[in-house]
Amino acid sequence: MLIDISSELRSVEDSDLFIVLTNKLSSFYLIGAATSNKIGINYGQLGNNLPSPYQSIQLIKSMEAGQVKIYDANPEILKLLSGTNLKVSIMVQNHEIIDISSSQTSADQWVQNNVLAYYPETMIRFILVGNEILSYSSPQDQQIWHNLVPAMHKIKNSLTTQNIHNIKVGTPLAMDIFQTSFPPSSGEFRSDISNLVMLPLLNFLNQTKSFFFIDVYPYFAWSTNSINISLDFALFKATQNYIDPKSGLVYTNLLDQMLDSVIFAVEKLGYSNIPIAISETGWPNNGDIEQVGANIYNAATYNRNLIKKMTTKPALGTPARPGLVIPTFIFSLFDENQKPGPGIERHWGLFHSDGISIYEIDLTGKRELSDYKPLPAPQNNQPYKGKVWCVAARGVDVMSLSTALTYACSQGNETCDALVPGKECYEPLSVFWHASFAFSSYWAQFRSMGATCHFNGLAQQTTRNPSRGSCNFPSVTL
Protein backbone atom coordinates (compact mmCIF):
# COMPACT_ATOMS: atom_id res chain seq x y z
CA MET A 1 0.00 0.00 0.00
CA LEU A 2 1.38 3.42 -0.94
CA ILE A 3 0.96 6.31 1.45
CA ASP A 4 1.17 9.89 0.18
CA ILE A 5 3.31 11.87 2.59
CA SER A 6 4.36 14.59 0.16
CA SER A 7 2.45 17.26 2.07
CA GLU A 8 4.49 16.44 5.15
CA LEU A 9 7.80 16.85 3.36
CA ARG A 10 7.55 20.43 2.18
CA SER A 11 9.17 22.03 5.18
CA VAL A 12 11.47 19.21 6.28
CA GLU A 13 15.10 19.08 5.22
CA ASP A 14 15.64 15.97 3.10
CA SER A 15 18.88 15.13 4.88
CA ASP A 16 17.07 15.10 8.22
CA LEU A 17 14.15 12.93 7.18
CA PHE A 18 13.55 9.46 8.52
CA ILE A 19 10.50 7.31 8.00
CA VAL A 20 10.15 4.54 10.54
CA LEU A 21 7.96 1.51 10.04
CA THR A 22 6.51 0.40 13.37
CA ASN A 23 5.75 -3.09 14.48
CA LYS A 24 2.15 -2.31 13.61
CA LEU A 25 2.43 -2.87 9.88
CA SER A 26 -0.38 -0.49 8.99
CA SER A 27 1.17 2.47 10.74
CA PHE A 28 3.92 4.88 9.67
CA TYR A 29 5.65 7.66 11.55
CA LEU A 30 7.06 10.72 9.95
CA ILE A 31 9.90 11.76 12.21
CA GLY A 32 11.58 14.85 10.84
CA ALA A 33 14.08 17.30 12.16
CA ALA A 34 16.36 15.75 14.74
CA THR A 35 15.82 12.00 14.46
CA SER A 36 19.23 10.43 14.35
CA ASN A 37 21.04 7.40 15.68
CA LYS A 38 24.08 9.60 16.35
CA ILE A 39 24.62 9.87 20.08
CA GLY A 40 23.96 13.20 21.77
CA ILE A 41 25.63 14.74 24.82
CA ASN A 42 24.09 16.66 27.70
CA TYR A 43 26.26 19.72 28.31
CA GLY A 44 25.55 21.02 31.82
CA GLN A 45 27.40 23.90 33.43
CA LEU A 46 26.86 23.46 37.17
CA GLY A 47 30.55 23.69 38.01
CA ASN A 48 32.98 26.44 38.96
CA ASN A 49 35.98 24.71 37.40
CA LEU A 50 34.74 23.69 33.94
CA PRO A 51 36.42 24.41 30.59
CA SER A 52 35.17 27.45 28.69
CA PRO A 53 32.20 27.04 26.34
CA TYR A 54 34.60 27.29 23.40
CA GLN A 55 36.79 24.48 24.75
CA SER A 56 33.71 22.41 25.58
CA ILE A 57 32.21 22.70 22.10
CA GLN A 58 35.57 21.79 20.57
CA LEU A 59 35.65 18.74 22.82
CA ILE A 60 32.13 17.69 21.79
CA LYS A 61 33.05 18.06 18.12
CA SER A 62 36.22 16.01 18.60
CA MET A 63 34.11 13.20 20.05
CA GLU A 64 32.02 13.09 16.87
CA ALA A 65 28.82 13.58 18.81
CA GLY A 66 25.77 14.03 16.63
CA GLN A 67 23.76 16.21 18.99
CA VAL A 68 24.17 18.42 22.04
CA LYS A 69 21.58 19.38 24.64
CA ILE A 70 21.89 22.39 26.92
CA TYR A 71 19.73 23.37 29.88
CA ASP A 72 18.94 26.91 28.77
CA ALA A 73 19.49 28.95 25.62
CA ASN A 74 22.96 30.26 26.45
CA PRO A 75 23.87 32.89 23.82
CA GLU A 76 27.61 32.19 23.90
CA ILE A 77 27.10 28.46 23.41
CA LEU A 78 24.54 28.92 20.64
CA LYS A 79 26.89 31.26 18.77
CA LEU A 80 29.75 28.78 19.12
CA LEU A 81 27.54 26.03 17.68
CA SER A 82 26.88 28.06 14.54
CA GLY A 83 28.24 26.38 11.43
CA THR A 84 28.86 23.06 13.16
CA ASN A 85 27.15 19.81 12.21
CA LEU A 86 25.82 19.40 15.73
CA LYS A 87 22.05 19.28 16.09
CA VAL A 88 21.09 21.32 19.12
CA SER A 89 18.47 21.02 21.85
CA ILE A 90 17.70 24.14 23.88
CA MET A 91 15.46 24.56 26.91
CA VAL A 92 12.75 26.85 28.23
CA GLN A 93 13.60 26.92 31.93
CA ASN A 94 10.98 25.99 34.52
CA HIS A 95 10.55 29.51 35.83
CA GLU A 96 9.74 30.82 32.34
CA ILE A 97 6.82 28.48 31.67
CA ILE A 98 3.95 30.37 33.33
CA ASP A 99 4.76 33.64 31.58
CA ILE A 100 5.04 31.95 28.17
CA SER A 101 1.84 29.96 28.66
CA SER A 102 -0.14 33.09 29.48
CA SER A 103 1.02 35.22 26.56
CA GLN A 104 1.64 34.49 22.89
CA THR A 105 3.66 37.70 22.83
CA SER A 106 6.00 36.29 25.50
CA ALA A 107 6.37 33.07 23.53
CA ASP A 108 7.09 35.02 20.35
CA GLN A 109 9.71 37.06 22.17
CA TRP A 110 11.34 33.92 23.58
CA VAL A 111 11.56 32.39 20.11
CA GLN A 112 12.88 35.67 18.70
CA ASN A 113 15.63 35.92 21.34
CA ASN A 114 16.61 32.28 21.61
CA VAL A 115 15.87 30.72 18.22
CA LEU A 116 15.71 33.28 15.41
CA ALA A 117 18.86 35.01 16.67
CA TYR A 118 20.86 31.84 15.84
CA TYR A 119 18.79 29.69 13.49
CA PRO A 120 19.41 28.24 10.93
CA GLU A 121 23.21 28.62 11.18
CA THR A 122 22.94 26.93 14.56
CA MET A 123 21.05 23.72 13.89
CA ILE A 124 18.43 23.97 16.63
CA ARG A 125 16.25 20.88 16.34
CA PHE A 126 14.56 20.55 19.74
CA ILE A 127 13.02 23.07 22.12
CA LEU A 128 12.38 21.37 25.45
CA VAL A 129 9.89 23.19 27.66
CA GLY A 130 10.90 22.74 31.28
CA ASN A 131 12.96 20.02 32.90
CA GLU A 132 11.31 17.16 34.83
CA ILE A 133 8.42 19.46 35.76
CA LEU A 134 6.21 16.65 37.03
CA SER A 135 8.83 15.55 39.58
CA TYR A 136 8.02 18.60 41.73
CA SER A 137 4.73 18.79 43.60
CA SER A 138 4.52 21.94 45.70
CA PRO A 139 1.48 24.19 45.05
CA GLN A 140 3.72 26.46 42.99
CA ASP A 141 5.01 23.50 40.99
CA GLN A 142 1.52 22.21 40.37
CA GLN A 143 0.64 25.59 38.92
CA ILE A 144 3.42 25.02 36.39
CA TRP A 145 1.93 21.57 35.61
CA HIS A 146 -1.22 23.32 34.42
CA ASN A 147 0.79 25.71 32.26
CA LEU A 148 3.18 23.19 30.70
CA VAL A 149 1.22 22.11 27.63
CA PRO A 150 -0.22 25.60 26.93
CA ALA A 151 3.36 26.91 26.93
CA MET A 152 4.38 24.19 24.47
CA HIS A 153 1.49 25.14 22.19
CA LYS A 154 2.51 28.80 22.20
CA ILE A 155 6.15 28.01 21.41
CA LYS A 156 4.96 25.79 18.55
CA ASN A 157 2.66 28.56 17.31
CA SER A 158 5.62 30.96 17.24
CA LEU A 159 7.68 28.53 15.18
CA THR A 160 4.82 27.93 12.76
CA THR A 161 4.32 31.67 12.31
CA GLN A 162 8.00 31.90 11.34
CA ASN A 163 7.52 28.97 8.91
CA ILE A 164 9.92 26.83 10.95
CA HIS A 165 8.82 23.20 10.80
CA ASN A 166 12.00 21.23 11.52
CA ILE A 167 12.22 22.12 15.22
CA LYS A 168 10.30 19.78 17.51
CA VAL A 169 8.82 20.92 20.83
CA GLY A 170 8.80 18.53 23.78
CA THR A 171 9.38 18.26 27.52
CA PRO A 172 11.72 15.85 29.36
CA LEU A 173 10.12 13.84 32.15
CA ALA A 174 11.59 11.54 34.79
CA MET A 175 10.60 7.97 35.62
CA ASP A 176 8.71 9.16 38.72
CA ILE A 177 5.76 9.95 36.45
CA PHE A 178 4.71 6.30 36.82
CA GLN A 179 2.21 4.74 39.14
CA THR A 180 3.44 1.36 37.92
CA SER A 181 6.37 0.56 35.64
CA PHE A 182 6.98 -3.17 36.15
CA PRO A 183 6.43 -5.39 34.35
CA PRO A 184 6.65 -3.08 31.33
CA SER A 185 3.20 -4.06 30.09
CA SER A 186 1.77 -2.72 33.37
CA GLY A 187 3.22 0.73 32.74
CA GLU A 188 0.77 3.38 33.94
CA PHE A 189 1.11 7.08 34.71
CA ARG A 190 0.41 8.53 38.15
CA SER A 191 -3.25 9.24 38.77
CA ASP A 192 -2.58 12.89 39.71
CA ILE A 193 -1.11 13.67 36.29
CA SER A 194 -2.71 11.16 33.93
CA ASN A 195 -5.74 13.17 32.86
CA LEU A 196 -4.52 16.58 34.00
CA VAL A 197 -1.20 16.69 32.14
CA MET A 198 -0.41 13.49 30.26
CA LEU A 199 -3.48 13.37 28.03
CA PRO A 200 -3.07 16.97 26.79
CA LEU A 201 0.69 16.40 26.42
CA LEU A 202 0.24 13.24 24.35
CA ASN A 203 -2.34 14.95 22.18
CA PHE A 204 0.14 17.77 21.50
CA LEU A 205 3.00 15.36 20.72
CA ASN A 206 0.76 13.35 18.41
CA GLN A 207 -0.52 16.40 16.54
CA THR A 208 2.96 17.89 16.09
CA LYS A 209 4.72 14.56 15.40
CA SER A 210 7.10 15.21 18.27
CA PHE A 211 8.79 12.90 20.76
CA PHE A 212 8.02 11.71 24.26
CA PHE A 213 11.25 12.67 26.05
CA ILE A 214 12.22 10.56 29.05
CA ASP A 215 15.16 10.76 31.47
CA VAL A 216 15.85 7.08 32.07
CA TYR A 217 18.50 5.80 34.47
CA PRO A 218 18.85 2.03 34.93
CA TYR A 219 21.39 2.83 37.66
CA PHE A 220 18.67 4.08 40.02
CA ALA A 221 16.32 1.19 39.25
CA TRP A 222 19.13 -1.32 39.91
CA SER A 223 20.77 0.34 42.93
CA THR A 224 17.47 0.59 44.82
CA ASN A 225 16.57 -3.04 44.06
CA SER A 226 19.90 -4.82 43.54
CA ILE A 227 18.61 -7.94 45.28
CA ASN A 228 16.06 -8.57 42.53
CA ILE A 229 17.77 -6.98 39.52
CA SER A 230 21.16 -8.27 38.38
CA LEU A 231 23.91 -5.77 37.68
CA ASP A 232 24.65 -7.50 34.37
CA PHE A 233 21.02 -6.96 33.30
CA ALA A 234 21.45 -3.22 33.99
CA LEU A 235 24.77 -3.10 32.09
CA PHE A 236 23.54 -4.89 28.91
CA LYS A 237 25.56 -8.01 29.86
CA ALA A 238 22.81 -10.37 30.99
CA THR A 239 22.99 -14.06 30.16
CA GLN A 240 19.39 -14.61 31.27
CA ASN A 241 16.35 -12.90 29.76
CA TYR A 242 13.18 -11.64 31.36
CA ILE A 243 9.79 -12.46 29.82
CA ASP A 244 6.93 -10.06 30.53
CA PRO A 245 4.12 -12.31 31.83
CA LYS A 246 1.37 -10.21 30.21
CA SER A 247 2.84 -9.26 26.82
CA GLY A 248 5.17 -12.23 26.36
CA LEU A 249 7.90 -9.83 25.20
CA VAL A 250 11.48 -10.92 25.91
CA TYR A 251 13.89 -8.46 27.56
CA THR A 252 17.66 -8.69 27.57
CA ASN A 253 18.38 -5.48 29.48
CA LEU A 254 16.87 -3.09 32.02
CA LEU A 255 16.84 -0.04 29.74
CA ASP A 256 14.46 -1.71 27.29
CA GLN A 257 12.16 -2.63 30.16
CA MET A 258 12.04 0.98 31.35
CA LEU A 259 11.49 2.37 27.84
CA ASP A 260 8.71 -0.08 27.12
CA SER A 261 6.95 0.87 30.34
CA VAL A 262 6.72 4.35 28.77
CA ILE A 263 5.35 2.92 25.54
CA PHE A 264 2.71 0.81 27.29
CA ALA A 265 1.63 3.70 29.53
CA VAL A 266 1.27 5.97 26.51
CA GLU A 267 -0.74 3.33 24.65
CA LYS A 268 -3.09 2.94 27.63
CA LEU A 269 -4.10 6.57 27.06
CA GLY A 270 -4.88 5.87 23.42
CA TYR A 271 -1.69 6.84 21.58
CA SER A 272 0.29 4.14 19.81
CA ASN A 273 2.40 6.13 17.35
CA ILE A 274 4.30 8.64 19.50
CA PRO A 275 8.06 8.03 19.22
CA ILE A 276 10.29 8.19 22.29
CA ALA A 277 13.59 9.94 22.85
CA ILE A 278 16.04 9.55 25.72
CA SER A 279 16.78 13.04 26.98
CA GLU A 280 19.14 11.77 29.70
CA THR A 281 20.76 8.46 30.53
CA GLY A 282 24.11 7.39 31.93
CA TRP A 283 25.85 5.82 34.91
CA PRO A 284 27.77 7.53 37.76
CA ASN A 285 31.54 7.05 37.79
CA ASN A 286 31.85 7.76 41.53
CA GLY A 287 29.73 8.62 44.53
CA ASP A 288 29.30 8.41 48.26
CA ILE A 289 30.29 5.29 50.19
CA GLU A 290 26.70 4.07 50.43
CA GLN A 291 26.04 4.52 46.70
CA VAL A 292 26.54 1.00 45.44
CA GLY A 293 27.89 0.40 41.96
CA ALA A 294 28.91 3.99 41.26
CA ASN A 295 32.34 3.41 39.70
CA ILE A 296 34.33 3.85 36.51
CA TYR A 297 34.04 0.22 35.44
CA ASN A 298 30.25 0.21 35.49
CA ALA A 299 29.94 3.71 33.99
CA ALA A 300 32.18 2.83 31.05
CA THR A 301 30.48 -0.53 30.54
CA TYR A 302 26.99 0.96 30.58
CA ASN A 303 27.74 3.84 28.23
CA ARG A 304 29.79 1.78 25.79
CA ASN A 305 27.08 -0.86 25.52
CA LEU A 306 24.39 1.82 25.30
CA ILE A 307 26.19 3.41 22.36
CA LYS A 308 26.55 0.06 20.61
CA LYS A 309 22.83 -0.58 21.02
CA MET A 310 21.68 2.85 19.88
CA THR A 311 24.02 3.17 16.88
CA THR A 312 23.38 -0.29 15.45
CA LYS A 313 22.01 -0.26 11.90
CA PRO A 314 19.31 -1.16 11.21
CA ALA A 315 18.00 0.23 14.48
CA LEU A 316 17.18 -2.25 17.24
CA GLY A 317 14.45 -0.31 19.00
CA THR A 318 12.84 -2.08 21.95
CA PRO A 319 10.82 -5.31 22.24
CA ALA A 320 7.59 -3.29 22.02
CA ARG A 321 8.90 -1.09 19.19
CA PRO A 322 11.49 -3.09 17.22
CA GLY A 323 13.33 -1.13 14.57
CA LEU A 324 12.60 2.27 16.09
CA VAL A 325 15.37 4.90 16.02
CA ILE A 326 15.59 6.37 19.54
CA PRO A 327 17.41 9.72 19.79
CA THR A 328 19.67 9.41 22.85
CA PHE A 329 21.56 11.97 24.93
CA ILE A 330 24.17 10.72 27.41
CA PHE A 331 24.42 12.52 30.73
CA SER A 332 26.83 14.16 30.94
CA LEU A 333 29.83 15.83 29.34
CA PHE A 334 31.59 16.79 32.60
CA ASP A 335 31.56 15.96 36.28
CA GLU A 336 29.83 19.06 37.71
CA ASN A 337 31.06 19.96 41.19
CA GLN A 338 28.27 22.40 42.08
CA LYS A 339 25.34 20.03 41.65
CA PRO A 340 23.56 19.61 44.99
CA GLY A 341 22.59 16.34 46.60
CA PRO A 342 24.39 13.01 47.13
CA GLY A 343 27.87 12.39 45.73
CA ILE A 344 26.72 10.66 42.55
CA GLU A 345 25.05 13.90 41.42
CA ARG A 346 28.51 15.33 40.78
CA HIS A 347 29.94 12.28 39.01
CA TRP A 348 28.09 11.47 35.78
CA GLY A 349 30.67 12.97 33.44
CA LEU A 350 32.58 11.44 30.57
CA PHE A 351 35.30 14.00 31.37
CA HIS A 352 36.90 15.55 34.42
CA SER A 353 36.64 19.31 34.76
CA ASP A 354 40.11 19.66 33.20
CA GLY A 355 38.91 18.06 29.97
CA ILE A 356 40.69 14.75 30.59
CA SER A 357 38.53 11.71 29.87
CA ILE A 358 37.49 9.64 32.89
CA TYR A 359 37.41 6.56 30.66
CA GLU A 360 37.70 5.89 26.95
CA ILE A 361 34.50 6.24 24.97
CA ASP A 362 33.62 6.19 21.26
CA LEU A 363 30.30 7.91 20.56
CA THR A 364 30.18 6.64 16.98
CA GLY A 365 29.82 3.03 18.10
CA LYS A 366 32.44 1.90 15.60
CA ARG A 367 35.06 0.87 18.15
CA GLU A 368 34.85 -2.73 19.23
CA LEU A 369 34.42 -3.24 22.96
CA SER A 370 37.46 -5.54 22.95
CA ASP A 371 39.64 -2.67 21.67
CA TYR A 372 39.38 -0.63 24.87
CA LYS A 373 42.10 -0.71 27.51
CA PRO A 374 41.31 -2.60 30.73
CA LEU A 375 39.23 -0.69 33.28
CA PRO A 376 39.93 -0.45 37.03
CA ALA A 377 38.18 -3.26 38.84
CA PRO A 378 35.01 -2.16 40.65
CA GLN A 379 35.28 -2.04 44.42
CA ASN A 380 31.73 -1.14 45.44
CA ASN A 381 29.35 -3.40 43.53
CA GLN A 382 28.13 -4.74 46.87
CA PRO A 383 26.57 -2.43 49.49
CA TYR A 384 29.01 -1.24 52.16
CA LYS A 385 28.20 -2.48 55.65
CA GLY A 386 29.61 -0.53 58.57
CA LYS A 387 30.00 2.94 60.07
CA VAL A 388 30.62 6.12 58.05
CA TRP A 389 31.62 9.58 59.25
CA CYS A 390 31.41 12.96 57.56
CA VAL A 391 34.51 15.15 57.96
CA ALA A 392 35.97 18.32 56.51
CA ALA A 393 37.75 17.77 53.19
CA ARG A 394 41.47 18.45 53.02
CA GLY A 395 42.64 21.64 51.34
CA VAL A 396 39.34 23.55 51.44
CA ASP A 397 39.06 27.28 52.11
CA VAL A 398 39.11 28.01 55.87
CA MET A 399 36.68 30.94 55.64
CA SER A 400 34.16 28.81 53.74
CA LEU A 401 34.68 26.01 56.27
CA SER A 402 33.98 28.40 59.12
CA THR A 403 30.72 29.50 57.48
CA ALA A 404 29.64 25.87 57.01
CA LEU A 405 30.55 25.14 60.65
CA THR A 406 28.32 27.99 61.79
CA TYR A 407 25.47 26.66 59.64
CA ALA A 408 25.75 23.09 60.96
CA CYS A 409 25.81 24.26 64.56
CA SER A 410 22.83 26.59 64.06
CA GLN A 411 20.44 23.77 63.23
CA GLY A 412 19.82 22.86 66.88
CA ASN A 413 19.20 19.37 68.20
CA GLU A 414 22.41 19.61 70.28
CA THR A 415 24.47 19.21 67.13
CA CYS A 416 27.51 21.04 68.47
CA ASP A 417 27.09 20.88 72.25
CA ALA A 418 30.32 18.84 72.54
CA LEU A 419 32.28 21.75 70.98
CA VAL A 420 31.63 24.39 73.63
CA PRO A 421 34.58 25.34 75.90
CA GLY A 422 35.29 22.71 78.51
CA LYS A 423 33.40 19.97 76.67
CA GLU A 424 34.98 16.75 75.41
CA CYS A 425 35.46 17.84 71.76
CA TYR A 426 36.45 21.50 72.24
CA GLU A 427 40.15 20.74 71.75
CA PRO A 428 42.12 20.87 69.55
CA LEU A 429 40.90 24.38 68.85
CA SER A 430 40.88 24.44 65.03
CA VAL A 431 38.27 25.16 62.41
CA PHE A 432 39.07 21.88 60.66
CA TRP A 433 38.52 19.80 63.82
CA HIS A 434 35.35 21.63 64.87
CA ALA A 435 33.90 21.49 61.35
CA SER A 436 34.60 17.77 61.09
CA PHE A 437 32.73 17.07 64.32
CA ALA A 438 29.89 19.40 63.37
CA PHE A 439 29.55 17.82 59.91
CA SER A 440 29.44 14.30 61.35
CA SER A 441 26.98 15.27 64.05
CA TYR A 442 24.71 17.16 61.64
CA TRP A 443 24.75 14.37 59.04
CA ALA A 444 24.06 11.64 61.59
CA GLN A 445 21.09 13.52 63.00
CA PHE A 446 19.51 14.85 59.82
CA ARG A 447 20.39 12.25 57.18
CA SER A 448 16.96 10.65 57.50
CA MET A 449 15.47 14.01 56.49
CA GLY A 450 17.60 14.30 53.35
CA ALA A 451 20.82 15.84 54.69
CA THR A 452 23.96 14.91 52.76
CA CYS A 453 27.67 14.90 53.54
CA HIS A 454 28.54 17.60 51.04
CA PHE A 455 28.38 21.14 52.48
CA ASN A 456 29.05 22.67 49.06
CA GLY A 457 32.11 20.49 48.51
CA LEU A 458 33.67 21.16 51.92
CA ALA A 459 32.94 17.70 53.37
CA GLN A 460 33.73 14.12 52.52
CA GLN A 461 32.78 10.70 53.84
CA THR A 462 35.24 8.38 55.55
CA THR A 463 35.15 4.88 56.98
CA ARG A 464 38.03 5.74 59.32
CA ASN A 465 36.86 6.77 62.77
CA PRO A 466 38.07 10.36 63.39
CA SER A 467 37.27 10.24 67.13
CA ARG A 468 40.04 11.05 69.61
CA GLY A 469 40.26 10.36 73.32
CA SER A 470 36.95 11.11 74.99
CA CYS A 471 35.60 12.88 71.91
CA ASN A 472 33.39 10.42 70.04
CA PHE A 473 32.21 11.54 66.60
CA PRO A 474 28.59 10.61 65.72
CA SER A 475 28.41 8.23 62.77
CA VAL A 476 25.96 6.73 60.30
CA THR A 477 25.64 2.95 60.22
CA LEU A 478 24.97 1.49 56.80
Side-chain angles (χ1 to χ4, degrees):
M1 179 176 66
L2 295 178
I3 298 177
D4 182 9
I5 60 171
S6 58
S7 62
E8 301 282 4
L9 304 183
R10 293 169 188 159
S11 60
V12 181
E13 298 173 9
D14 291 341
S15 61
D16 286 336
L17 181 64
F18 291 80
I19 302 170
V20 180
L21 178 63
T22 72
N23 57 317
K24 296 177 176 63
L25 294 179
S26 62
S27 179
F28 277 90
Y29 298 92
L30 175 72
I31 305 173
T35 307
S36 173
N37 70 342
K38 291 185 176 181
I39 298 296
I41 288 291
N42 281 283
Y43 172 23
Q45 293 187 287
L46 291 179
N48 59 9
N49 57 354
L50 300 179
S52 70
Y54 173 80
Q55 293 170 315
S56 300
I57 298 304
Q58 293 300 116
L59 182 60
I60 294 170
K61 288 165 60 179
S62 72
M63 299 171 70
E64 298 186 62
Q67 309 178 72
V68 59
K69 172 171 160 272
I70 59 177
Y71 290 84
D72 51 20
N74 184 291
E76 182 181 5
I77 293 174
L78 291 177
K79 287 177 184 176
L80 288 167
L81 288 166
S82 176
T84 69
N85 290 323
L86 287 163
K87 295 177 181 178
V88 182
S89 171
I90 62 176
M91 186 171 286
V92 175
Q93 296 185 77
N94 292 359
H95 69 269
E96 300 174 293
I97 290 175
I98 292 178
D99 181 49
I100 288 174
S101 73
S102 62
S103 167
Q104 186 62 54
T105 300
S106 295
D108 293 343
Q109 190 62 55
W110 194 95
V111 169
Q112 177 67 45
N113 294 342
N114 300 298
V115 179
L116 300 182
Y118 312 101
Y119 176 91
E121 288 80 10
T122 297
M123 295 172 61
I124 299 171
R125 291 297 182 266
F126 290 132
I127 298 175
L128 300 183
V129 180
N131 191 37
E132 299 186 347
I133 284 295
L134 301 181
S135 298
Y136 306 97
S137 57
S138 71
Q140 295 82 1
D141 294 320
Q142 291 191 28
Q143 186 180 2
I144 300 179
W145 293 5
H146 288 83
N147 288 274
L148 176 60
V149 177
M152 295 171 71
H153 274 287
K154 286 185 170 59
I155 292 291
K156 181 63 177 176
N157 291 341
S158 296
L159 295 173
T160 302
T161 299
Q162 296 294 333
N163 200 32
I164 297 174
H165 300 284
N166 65 345
I167 297 179
K168 298 297 183 185
V169 179
T171 186
L173 302 174
M175 290 295 292
D176 58 7
I177 58 175
F178 288 98
Q179 192 88 34
T180 307
S181 60
F182 183 83
S185 59
S186 297
E188 185 175 1
F189 296 122
R190 294 185 343 235
S191 58
D192 60 329
I193 61 173
S194 184
N195 292 325
L196 177 68
V197 183
M198 300 311 297
L199 269 175
L201 173 62
L202 295 175
N203 184 54
F204 171 84
L205 299 178
N206 188 57
Q207 287 182 346
T208 62
K209 298 183 175 65
S210 191
F211 295 80
F212 190 108
F213 285 89
I214 188 73
D215 294 351
V216 55
Y217 288 100
Y219 170 77
F220 290 118
W222 167 77
S223 64
T224 56
N225 193 18
S226 59
I227 294 176
N228 296 312
I229 302 174
S230 85
L231 179 58
D232 283 348
F233 194 70
L235 296 176
F236 306 95
K237 295 170 54 183
T239 56
Q240 291 185 326
N241 299 332
Y242 171 80
I243 301 176
D244 188 305
K246 293 184 179 180
S247 68
L249 294 174
V250 178
Y251 290 90
T252 62
N253 63 81
L254 184 54
L255 178 68
D256 278 348
Q257 281 189 342
M258 298 172 77
L259 293 176
D260 275 359
S261 68
V262 176
I263 290 169
F264 279 104
V266 169
E267 290 183 346
K268 283 184 174 68
L269 293 183
Y271 294 90
S272 58
N273 289 341
I274 296 176
I276 56 175
I278 299 175
S279 38
E280 288 183 9
T281 191
W283 195 284
N285 61 65
N286 203 345
D288 294 330
I289 290 170
E290 71 267 30
Q291 289 167 330
V292 61
N295 56 62
I296 289 175
Y297 183 94
N298 293 344
T301 301
Y302 177 83
N303 282 326
R304 289 171 183 176
N305 287 329
L306 169 78
I307 292 167
K308 277 291 184 185
K309 171 180 169 60
M310 293 303 179
T311 57
T312 295
K313 296 180 180 179
L316 298 177
T318 71
R321 292 266 183 92
L324 183 68
V325 175
I326 304 174
T328 300
F329 293 84
I330 291 177
F331 187 85
S332 62
L333 182 59
F334 297 115
D335 278 357
E336 298 172 63
N337 70 346
Q338 291 186 314
K339 292 197 70 178
I344 54 170
E345 291 298 324
R346 293 172 288 282
H347 292 284
W348 292 87
L350 301 179
F351 292 86
H352 296 290
S353 59
D354 58 6
I356 302 299
S357 62
I358 297 174
Y359 49 86
E360 296 178 289
I361 197 81
D362 170 31
L363 297 185
T364 69
K366 296 175 182 176
R367 187 171 181 177
E368 294 298 326
L369 298 178
S370 58
D371 290 342
Y372 287 105
K373 297 176 183 177
L375 293 163
Q379 302 296 321
N380 63 344
N381 282 347
Q382 299 296 322
Y384 174 80
K385 301 295 183 183
K387 292 184 176 181
V388 183
W389 292 264
C390 180
V391 298
R394 293 288 179 184
V396 298
D397 178 69
V398 174
M399 291 299 295
S400 299
L401 199 60
S402 180
T403 301
L405 166 61
T406 300
Y407 168 79
C409 291
S410 69
Q411 301 307 299
N413 211 25
E414 302 179 347
T415 300
C416 296
D417 282 9
L419 295 176
V420 300
K423 290 287 187 174
E424 63 270 23
C425 296
Y426 178 66
E427 294 182 347
L429 188 58
S430 77
V431 173
F432 186 88
W433 172 258
H434 279 209
S436 291
F437 180 90
F439 290 171
S440 255
S441 181
Y442 173 88
W443 187 49
Q445 293 187 65
F446 297 107
R447 179 174 178 264
S448 62
M449 290 180 274
T452 64
C453 178
H454 180 49
F455 292 93
N456 293 322
L458 300 172
Q460 64 185 26
Q461 293 182 1
T462 180
T463 57
R464 183 177 180 180
N465 190 345
S467 304
R468 296 184 193 173
S470 61
C471 177
N472 291 313
F473 276 50
S475 64
V476 167
T477 301
L478 300 177

